[in-house]
Amino acid sequence: MAQDDFIVVQSTTSTQNSGLFEHILPMFEEQSGIEVRVVAVGTGQAIKNAANGDGDVLLVHAKPSEEKFVADGHGVARFDVMYNDFVIVGPASDPAGVAGTSDVVTALAKIADTEAPFASRGDDSGTHKAELRLWEQTGVDVAAASGNWYRETGSGMGATLNTGTAMGAYVMTDRATWISFGNKGDYTVAVEGDPKMFNQYGVILVSQEKHPNVKAELGQQFVDWIISEEGQAAIASYKIDGQQLFFPNAGD
């Protein structure tokens, strides 16, 4: 492997924390001879980094922001890669009485109504963006409740789950991070199964035209692989305790 045979992938904490990259990247590296270095931050930060030319490939989960990234000329093209879903987890005591429900907007409204503690990432990540879109549909002004029952951690998913479980708060998380989260205590999934909680991931090659330092050829090999049958099978084969964490849908 030549010393500069590596690419930088700007991605999210969920793909890293869940262990997905650890599972699939060795397969790609062995086949291509290209080392992949992942920068795992919130989606908003990952997009900013890539828009500054820091990175060759973007793999995140906030489709409107991804499409804008391409429209603004920072990315070549966007492809669906895989999906999972968001869930709201909470303590066994279930102070808002939302456990077992699937209507996420009603559940959030009840959390606000009872002023049960809710821990938000507050970090402009894909999960945070999705959570704010859902709050918008409830008509609840979470900015006004900030620091009261609504707490913003300003950190990644794993850290927010740790904070949330420590303070007995509800937390919205992607299912993959929840499955791989080791510190669950008496927490269970309270709200799940609403189509509004669908969580799509996309991959984009950063534009070499806009950012001349981008390793377009090597980056394109990674994009091609992850949406190929082989890459998609690698994603599908990643399981924890028999549970599949991400569902490939590049060809759909």
Side-chain angles (χ1 to χ4, degrees):
M1 193 186 291
Q3 265 182 323
D4 60 348
D5 276 0
F6 71 88
I7 56 167
V8 172
V9 174
Q10 290 284 348
S11 192
T12 73
T13 56
S14 56
T15 42
Q16 183 83 328
N17 291 354
S18 62
L20 176 74
F21 279 142
E22 228 171 290
H23 176 74
I24 68 169
L25 292 183
M27 303 182 202
F28 171 70
E29 289 173 355
E30 189 183 340
Q31 187 204 309
S32 64
I34 300 166
E35 182 199 340
V36 180
R37 298 178 186 174
V38 176
V39 178
V41 287
T43 283
Q45 188 59 52
I47 290 172
K48 271 188 201 126
N49 293 352
N52 289 334
D54 299 330
D56 307 294
V57 175
L58 184 62
L59 199 166
V60 289
H61 59 143
K63 196 170 177 179
S65 305
E66 294 162 43
E67 287 170 339
K68 185 178 185 312
F69 179 83
V70 174
D72 291 347
H74 292 295
V76 178
R78 183 201 167 279
F79 300 96
D80 283 343
V81 175
M82 60 191 183
Y83 67 91
N84 59 13
D85 63 339
F86 295 112
V87 295
I88 292 175
V89 299
S93 59
D94 189 27
V98 295
T101 61
S102 64
D103 182 332
V104 66
V105 173
T106 302
L108 288 173
K110 278 178 89 171
I111 289 169
D113 205 33
T114 53
E115 297 197 352
F118 185 96
S120 168
R121 283 177 60 167
D123 66 348
D124 194 35
S125 59
T127 302
H128 182 225
K129 289 173 193 280
E131 180 219 307
L132 291 180
R133 279 198 300 274
L134 293 170
W135 280 116
E136 223 168 85
Q137 293 175 50
T138 66
V140 173
D141 182 357
V142 286
S146 181
N148 186 358
W149 58 269
Y150 185 80
R151 301 291 177 88
E152 289 144 309
T153 67
S155 51
M157 198 67 255
T160 300
L161 281 166
N162 274 321
T163 304
T165 51
M167 59 186 269
Y170 292 97
V171 183
M172 180 165 134
T173 170
D174 66 284
R175 193 185 292 268
T177 305
W178 175 245
I179 290 171
S180 53
F181 180 64
N183 193 18
K184 292 185 173 76
D186 73 341
Y187 268 55
T188 55
V189 172
V191 185
E192 64 182 329
D194 191 319
K196 290 186 173 120
M197 296 169 94
F198 181 77
N199 180 27
Q200 178 70 50
Y201 288 79
V203 69
I204 300 168
L205 178 69
V206 180
S207 167
Q208 193 180 44
E209 218 166 280
K210 189 98 158 185
H211 306 287
N213 59 323
V214 167
K215 297 174 181 170
E217 201 184 314
L218 301 184
Q220 187 65 53
Q221 282 187 54
F222 176 74
V223 172
D224 290 346
W225 179 82
I226 206 161
I227 62 176
S228 73
E229 275 183 31
E230 193 184 337
Q232 295 277 287
I235 291 167
S237 70
Y238 182 52
K239 295 179 179 175
I240 293 180
D241 298 333
Q243 294 183 79
Q244 185 172 331
L245 275 70
F246 296 93
F247 296 84
N249 65 344
D252 295 358

